[in-house]
């Protein structure tokens, strides 16, 4: 019988009481599982802050480790009655907290944080939550045992901060370790370089860990337990009448996640699409003893093309290269971006015209990108400008690229709402079109486009 990969994220672990509910969820499957866990809610953020504080203060490592010990000790006492079990888990936690303290003290004295050290520190939360979750699962009668990515040999490409799994190596190594006779509990968020160092998959990367494992062992499904009713037609904080979408394709899910829908890590679909392993999105807060998916993610289905959802992010900025003919002269884009590549700065998207090249970056990279591009001497570029107070909105639906009228629905809705479009891109994705508006217009734009989805 194929195993199911069940992932519990930080939204399932907001308080110690949530752990027991997650254990009841796992027990309700009554089928072989592999459980992937995130850190307890707030722990990863505390670790990130702790890095900066440790550089400045010699006392910061002790304070952070003491706080983390209290959080996890509280969970342990609440859920585990057996003193022998408590002591066994406590010993593991103590060892990992001591290792964390050594790393934090080390960066204090050298006054810097090597990339591999940062990844090891920020992934500590998963290594603290996993042994506790495993103990609570055992209490529920499951044969749970923690297995670390280090033990499994979950290899990555070695890119610290935003690694990708070596899918071929994982497929060779993981099946023999994750046998269905036990319930493996695996810390998500990270894997290993070939040199044995920890490399994280980026924020929210536990979803990606679960997807890599699902592909490696040919799982029946990947079940993501969240605190929302699956993928929605819009952000309910802005669009109160948003509704659950019962099915989205892999491409639709990836686009929505990349542009602001916080349901899954944008790269979660990558390992699963080829083997058509479904993703089932559940709401842990609605658990009533039954395993009930709210949204199924899978291969695109034949049907009437339509817009399904609209998402947005303000985590974007533009650097615009202006000059006569810059969009048509050969070599200009390559020359302009060579410095970006050397600086390790990722370009999110490129939109060109005859007189300008618009490069889109994440906000954290914008100032560095601007400095690099202004330092380059690029023929035909007469001005380099940047824009920050903007939002990029993605209207998503299978068939959008090939179906007349779908894109016009979006533009018509924006025009009707009196919303100016600064830039647009359609056709780059078969399931999404993007419009860039002023940040102050984001909410009105989302509501305007959502009305056309609702009518559809």
């Amino acid at each position: 019988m194929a195993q199911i990969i069940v992932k519990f994220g930080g939204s399932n672990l907001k308080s110690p009481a949530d752990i027991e509910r997650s254990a009841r969820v796992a027990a309700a499957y009554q089928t072989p599982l592999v459980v992937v866990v995130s850190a307890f809610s707030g722990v990863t953020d505390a670790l990130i802050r702790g890095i900066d504080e440790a550089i400045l203060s010699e006392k910061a490592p002790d304070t952070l480790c003491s706080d983390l010990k209290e959080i996890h000790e509280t969970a342990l006492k609440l859920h585990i009655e057996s003193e022998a079990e408590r002591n066994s888990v406590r010993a593991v936690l103590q060892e990992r907290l001591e290792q964390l303290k050594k790393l934090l003290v080390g960066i204090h004295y050298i006054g810097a944080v090597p990339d591999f050290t940062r990844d090891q520190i920020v992934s500590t939360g998963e290594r603290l939550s996993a042994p506790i979750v495993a103990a609570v699962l055992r209490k529920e009668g499951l044969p749970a045992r923690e297995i670390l990515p280090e033990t499994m040999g979950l290899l990555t490409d070695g890119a610290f901060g935003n690694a990708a799994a070596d899918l071929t190596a994982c497929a060779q190594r993981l099946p023999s370790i994750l046998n269905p006779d036990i319930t493996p509990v695996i810390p998500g968020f990270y894997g290993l370089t070939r040199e044995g160092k920890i490399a994280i998959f980026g924020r929210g990367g536990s979803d990606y860990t679960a997807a890599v494992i699902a592909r490696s062992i040919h799982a029946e499904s990947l079940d993501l337990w969240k605190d929302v009713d699956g993928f929605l037609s819009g952000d309910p904080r802005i669009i109160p009448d948003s509704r659950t979408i019962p099915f989205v394709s892999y491409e639709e899910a990836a686009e929505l996640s990349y542009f602001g829908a916080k349901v899954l890590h944008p790269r979660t679909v990558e390992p699963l699409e080829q083997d058509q392993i479904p993703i089932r999105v559940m709401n842990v807060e609605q658990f009533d003893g039954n395993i009930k998916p709210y949204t199924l993610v899978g291969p695109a289905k034949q049907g009437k093309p339509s817009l399904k959802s609209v998402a947005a992010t303000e985590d974007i900025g533009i650097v615009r290269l202006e000059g006569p003919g810059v969009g048509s002269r050969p070599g200009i884009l390559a020359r302009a971006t060579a410095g970006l590549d050397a600086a390790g700065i990722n370009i999110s998207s490129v939109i060109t015209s005859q007189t300008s090249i618009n490069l889109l970056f994440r906000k954290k990279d914008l100032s560095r990108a601007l400095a690099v591009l202004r330092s380059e001497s690029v023929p035909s570029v007469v001005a380099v400008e940047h824009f920050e107070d903007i939002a990029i909105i993605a209207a998503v639906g299978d068939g959008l690229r090939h179906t007349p009228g779908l894109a016009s629905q979006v533009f018509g809705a924006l025009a009707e709402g009196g919303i100016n479009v600064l830039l647009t891109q359609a056709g780059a994705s078969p399931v999404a079109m993007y419009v860039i508006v002023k940040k102050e217009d984001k909410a009105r734009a989302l509501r305007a486009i959502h009305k056309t989805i609702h009518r559809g």
Side-chain angles (χ1 to χ4, degrees):
M1 180 184 295
Q3 293 153 285
I4 294 175
I5 311 301
V6 175
K7 185 260 177 175
F8 295 117
S11 61
N12 306 152
L13 306 171
K14 293 175 184 173
S15 70
D18 292 337
I19 304 169
E20 196 164 66
R21 179 178 60 185
S22 296
R24 291 198 305 272
V25 168
Y29 275 89
Q30 299 185 342
T31 193
L33 302 179
V34 175
V35 176
V36 177
V37 296
S38 297
F40 288 177
S41 181
V43 167
T44 302
D45 288 335
L47 289 163
I48 292 170
R49 290 193 305 270
I51 290 172
D52 294 333
E53 292 167 358
I55 291 177
L56 298 174
S57 169
E58 190 175 359
K59 295 180 180 179
D62 278 326
T63 301
L64 176 59
C65 290
S66 177
D67 290 345
L68 294 177
K69 180 178 180 179
E70 182 179 352
I71 290 169
H72 294 84
E73 180 69 21
T74 299
L76 196 58
K77 288 180 178 178
L78 182 63
H79 296 299
I80 305 302
E81 298 173 359
S82 165
E83 193 61 31
E85 181 80 284
R86 278 189 196 174
N87 288 336
S88 176
V89 175
R90 193 176 283 131
V92 173
L93 297 179
Q94 186 61 32
E95 180 183 349
R96 292 173 188 178
L97 286 169
E98 288 174 359
Q99 177 63 24
L100 172 63
K101 183 180 174 181
K102 288 178 183 178
L103 292 170
L104 292 169
V105 170
I107 65 174
H108 171 75
Y109 282 109
I110 66 173
V113 191
D115 289 342
F116 67 88
T117 302
R118 180 181 295 276
D119 280 15
Q120 186 166 351
I121 290 172
V122 300
S123 62
T124 301
E126 281 69 18
R127 291 189 295 280
L128 296 177
S129 65
I132 297 175
V133 172
V136 179
L137 289 176
R138 287 193 291 272
K139 180 183 169 185
E140 286 289 327
L142 295 171
R145 179 160 62 89
E146 181 195 40
I147 301 180
L148 296 171
E150 297 93 308
T151 304
M152 294 162 49
L154 203 164
L155 286 181
T156 74
D157 60 2
F160 295 111
N162 192 32
D166 183 332
L167 296 177
T168 300
C170 289
Q172 293 170 347
R173 296 177 178 214
L174 270 56
S176 62
I177 296 172
L178 304 179
N179 71 75
D181 295 331
I182 63 169
T183 301
V185 178
I186 299 166
F189 189 36
Y190 72 95
L192 295 184
T193 69
R194 291 196 174 275
E195 295 72 34
K197 297 186 182 300
I198 284 174
I200 63 171
F201 297 130
R203 289 305 297 265
S206 293
D207 288 349
Y208 179 70
T209 299
V212 170
I213 294 169
R215 179 190 185 275
S216 300
I217 67 170
H218 306 290
E220 181 180 328
S221 68
L222 166 57
D223 290 4
L224 302 177
W225 286 86
K226 305 287 180 174
D227 61 351
V228 295
D229 292 342
F231 278 95
L232 303 176
S233 58
D235 186 338
R237 295 168 299 181
I238 298 172
I239 305 166
D241 61 342
S242 61
R243 56 194 178 188
T244 296
I245 310 170
F247 176 84
V248 296
S249 69
Y250 291 121
E251 287 183 310
E252 290 172 326
E255 293 286 356
L256 287 169
S257 300
Y258 187 79
F259 286 100
K262 305 297 185 183
V263 178
L264 52 81
H265 189 284
R267 285 163 44 204
T268 304
V269 303
E270 289 176 14
L272 305 178
E273 190 168 4
Q274 182 176 342
D275 293 339
Q276 298 189 1
I277 297 171
I279 302 170
R280 304 193 299 176
V281 184
M282 320 286 194
N283 188 346
V284 73
E285 295 187 354
Q286 302 295 333
F287 177 66
D288 60 1
N290 298 304
I291 307 301
K292 182 177 70 173
Y294 280 77
T295 298
L296 178 68
V297 183
K301 295 179 178 179
Q302 294 295 323
K304 180 183 177 182
S306 64
L307 294 177
K308 288 184 180 178
S309 185
V310 59
T313 180
E314 296 175 12
D315 183 23
I316 203 79
I318 298 173
V319 178
R320 176 177 291 167
L321 311 179
E322 295 184 329
V326 294
S328 60
R329 290 179 180 270
I332 293 232
L333 185 57
R335 177 77 175 270
T337 58
L340 297 172
D341 183 56
I345 300 171
N346 182 56
I347 302 171
S348 294
S349 188
V350 180
I351 304 174
T352 64
S353 71
Q354 181 70 11
T355 59
S356 70
I357 298 174
N358 299 276
L359 303 172
L360 277 61
F361 302 93
R362 292 296 189 189
K363 281 279 181 67
K364 66 181 179 64
D365 295 325
L366 185 62
S367 60
R368 287 198 305 137
L370 182 62
V372 168
L373 290 166
R374 281 183 170 164
S375 70
E376 295 285 337
S377 177
V378 182
S380 299
V381 173
V382 299
V384 179
E385 296 184 291
H386 73 289
F387 307 91
E388 291 188 59
D389 293 331
I390 57 175
I392 184 166
I393 295 173
V396 174
D398 266 328
L400 195 149
R401 178 193 283 170
H402 306 292
T403 307
L406 287 185
S408 67
Q409 287 182 33
V410 175
F411 288 117
L414 294 172
E416 187 178 330
I419 299 160
N420 184 48
V421 176
L422 303 176
L423 278 172
T424 184
Q425 186 178 70
S429 165
V431 301
M433 67 172 293
Y434 320 121
V435 294
I436 296 174
V437 300
K438 292 180 180 178
K439 185 167 68 173
E440 63 198 51
D441 291 332
K442 182 186 81 170
R444 288 196 302 127
L446 285 170
R447 286 191 286 266
I449 296 171
H450 187 265
K451 285 180 182 178
T452 71
I453 296 172
H454 202 71
R455 287 196 295 263

